[in-house]
């Protein structure tokens, strides 16, 4: 079951299912590690959708849609009462 | 309906974490840094708009007033983007909270006034008495001018809060009315829907205009005091 490549350097898609808990525990959960993760995620999205030669509206609207979904999740508790029923 | 109407204005917390901090910091992501000579389209559009606003707004100030350019441009970008993001469905608008608008208005106004008192003391005090007033009116006029000076930050904050809150409330109410009317009589619902469309266009304009007015007034107080 031991893998040839050490566990720490594998990307997520190469990790086998049995090794997943130890892979997660090995990630860097320090504040600078988390900040690095956010930075990498931001630049990955930014370089793919915004910093292109003929960027369209897709880059911005995906962010805004995610924001709307996020706000919907936040206010779900108050919105639960507004489902379609005959009597409120 | 009673409880529902104002629940969109409570500051969002999620299991005790004040998410409102992230919501206030969110517009920051939408303004990327221009680090190249030729940037991507989004950054180019923003730079063009900032140039336009900067030239328009800073034209009337002298050198000393222009040191405030960064502050005023960030102010108008922040208020404009926050108001526009508030028009998305289900989103929370931080500028509807009086606390935040007071926090923006009072330091800026106080900074301009104190700067005026320090550098041009005589001219700042002379603002309290307009030229050519008849002598018997002077005491009352000084009181009135002092009151009008101290009301400036309150008016700035309350103007922004009230405009944005009122707009959001109207959209909620008319939208709710359209939904209810749809099952009762469809033509009335169509009319209400057209009202809703006009209202939304107005709200887009109001969002931008309020940002502009806020910044313009701060820059006006600055102009008086530099």
């Amino acid at each position: 079951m031991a893998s040839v490549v050490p566990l720490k350097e594998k990307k997520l898609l190469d990790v086998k299912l049995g090794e997943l808990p130890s892979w997660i525990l090995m990630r860097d959960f320090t504040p600078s590690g988390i900040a690095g993760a956010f930075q990498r995620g931001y630049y990955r999205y930014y370089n793919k959708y915004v910093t292109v030669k003929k960027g369209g509206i897709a880059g911005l609207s995906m962010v805004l849609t995610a924001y709307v979904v996020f706000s919907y999740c936040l206010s779900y508790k108050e919105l639960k009462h507004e489902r379609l029923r005959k009597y409120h | 309906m009673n409880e529902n109407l104002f629940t969109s204005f409570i500051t969002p917390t999620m299991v005790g974490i004040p998410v409102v901090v992230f919501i206030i910091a969110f517009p920051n992501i939408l303004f990327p840094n221009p680090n190249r000579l030729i940037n991507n389209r989004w950054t180019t559009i923003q730079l063009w708009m900032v140039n336009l606003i900067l030239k328009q707004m800073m034209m009337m100030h002298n050198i000393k007033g222009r040191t405030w350019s960064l502050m005023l441009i960030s102010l108008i970008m922040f208020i404009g983007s926050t108001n526009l993001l508030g028009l998305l469905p289900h989103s929370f608008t931080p500028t509807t909270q009086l606390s935040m608008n007071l926090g923006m208005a009072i330091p800026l106004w106080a900074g301009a006034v104190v700067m005026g008192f320090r550098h041009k003391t005589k001219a700042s005090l002379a603002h309290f008495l307009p030229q050519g007033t008849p002598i018997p009116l002077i005491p009352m006029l000084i009181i009135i001018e002092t009151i009008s000076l101290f009301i400036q930050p309150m008016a700035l904050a309350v103007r922004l809060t009230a405009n944005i809150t009122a707009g959001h409330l109207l959209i909620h109410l008319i939208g709710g009315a359209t939904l209810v009317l749809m099952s009762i009589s469809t033509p009335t619902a169509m009319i209400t829907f057209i009202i809703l469309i006009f209202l939304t266009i107005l709200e887009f304009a109001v969002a931008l205009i309020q940002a502009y007015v806020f910044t313009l007034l701060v820059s006006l107080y600055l102009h008086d005091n530099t």
Side-chain angles (χ1 to χ4, degrees), chain B residues 169-188:
Chain B
L169 271 177
L170 267 177
I171 290 184
H172 275 289
L173 281 170
I174 296 191
T178 318
L179 269 178
V180 171
L181 280 176
M182 245 177 359
S183 48
I184 298 182
S185 94
T186 319
T188 325

Side-chain angles (χ1 to χ4, degrees), chain B residues 27-89:
Chain B
N28 177 38
I29 306 184
L30 303 173
F31 297 114
N33 286 330
N35 36 17
R36 301 203 165 143
L37 185 59
I38 310 256
N39 299 297
N40 49 29
R41 282 185 180 177
W42 185 227
T43 312
T44 317
I45 293 176
Q46 282 175 4
L47 282 178
W48 167 77
M49 234 176 336
V50 166
N51 255 328
L52 197 67
I53 298 175
L54 187 65
K55 278 193 209 150
Q56 171 70 23
M57 201 151 41
M58 286 306 173
M59 209 162 40
M60 63 167 170
H61 292 128
N62 52 9
I63 295 263
K64 204 155 184 50
R66 286 191 189 157
T67 51
W68 278 53
S69 319
L70 181 62
M71 182 73 232
L72 291 176
I73 294 292
S74 346
L75 190 66
I76 190 172
M77 300 295 268
F78 175 66
I79 300 183
S81 63
T82 318
N83 290 348
L84 282 174
L85 279 176
L87 290 172
L88 292 170

Side-chain angles (χ1 to χ4, degrees), chain A residues 42 46 50-55 60 63-64 67-68 70-72 74-75 78-79 82, chain B residues 4 7 10 12 14 19 23 26 29-30 32 40-43 85 88-92:
Chain A
Y42 171 74
Y46 186 60
V50 184
T51 338
V52 283
K53 204 164 184 187
K54 297 179 91 179
L60 178 66
V63 177
L64 293 182
Y67 180 62
V68 168
F70 174 65
S71 314
Y72 179 75
L74 279 182
S75 45
E78 284 92 29
L79 289 167
E82 294 198 11
Chain B
N4 231 345
T7 48
I10 52 178
M14 192 167 67
V19 187
I23 295 188
F26 175 65
I29 306 184
L30 303 173
N40 49 29
R41 282 185 180 177
W42 185 227
T43 312
L85 279 176
L88 292 170
H90 301 303
S91 55
F92 170 71

Side-chain angles (χ1 to χ4, degrees), chain B residues 1-225:
Chain B
M1 185 66 171
N2 278 337
E3 186 212 72
N4 231 345
L5 195 55
F6 291 105
T7 48
S8 59
F9 294 118
I10 52 178
T11 50
T13 58
M14 192 167 67
V15 293
I17 309 172
V19 187
V20 61
V21 177
F22 296 113
I23 295 188
I24 294 184
F26 175 65
N28 177 38
I29 306 184
L30 303 173
F31 297 114
N33 286 330
N35 36 17
R36 301 203 165 143
L37 185 59
I38 310 256
N39 299 297
N40 49 29
R41 282 185 180 177
W42 185 227
T43 312
T44 317
I45 293 176
Q46 282 175 4
L47 282 178
W48 167 77
M49 234 176 336
V50 166
N51 255 328
L52 197 67
I53 298 175
L54 187 65
K55 278 193 209 150
Q56 171 70 23
M57 201 151 41
M58 286 306 173
M59 209 162 40
M60 63 167 170
H61 292 128
N62 52 9
I63 295 263
K64 204 155 184 50
R66 286 191 189 157
T67 51
W68 278 53
S69 319
L70 181 62
M71 182 73 232
L72 291 176
I73 294 292
S74 346
L75 190 66
I76 190 172
M77 300 295 268
F78 175 66
I79 300 183
S81 63
T82 318
N83 290 348
L84 282 174
L85 279 176
L87 290 172
L88 292 170
H90 301 303
S91 55
F92 170 71
T93 324
T95 36
T96 53
Q97 311 296 314
L98 185 63
S99 49
M100 181 169 117
N101 295 339
L102 276 174
M104 283 196 292
I106 292 186
L108 289 168
W109 166 84
V113 165
V114 167
M115 203 165 85
F117 269 113
R118 274 183 65 193
H119 295 288
K120 293 172 40 171
T121 321
K122 247 193 312 181
S124 300
L125 285 172
H127 276 312
F128 282 128
L129 196 62
Q131 262 180 345
T133 58
I135 298 196
L137 278 177
I138 287 184
M140 196 181 62
L141 208 56
I142 292 192
I143 294 179
I144 292 181
E145 290 284 332
T146 314
I147 294 178
S148 91
L149 179 74
F150 280 101
I151 237 179
Q152 277 173 351
M154 301 296 150
L156 267 178
V158 173
R159 183 185 304 116
L160 187 57
T161 314
N163 265 302
I164 306 294
T165 316
H168 283 324
L169 271 177
L170 267 177
I171 290 184
H172 275 289
L173 281 170
I174 296 191
T178 318
L179 269 178
V180 171
L181 280 176
M182 245 177 359
S183 48
I184 298 182
S185 94
T186 319
T188 325
M190 296 302 279
I191 297 178
T192 324
F193 188 64
I194 294 178
I195 297 180
L196 189 62
I197 293 182
F198 282 136
L199 200 58
T200 314
I201 297 177
L202 176 69
E203 282 312 307
F204 271 101
V206 164
L208 297 169
I209 289 172
Q210 283 304 314
Y212 173 64
V213 164
F214 197 99
T215 318
L216 192 65
L217 284 172
V218 171
S219 96
L220 216 62
Y221 303 150
L222 188 64
H223 186 67
D224 279 342
N225 293 313

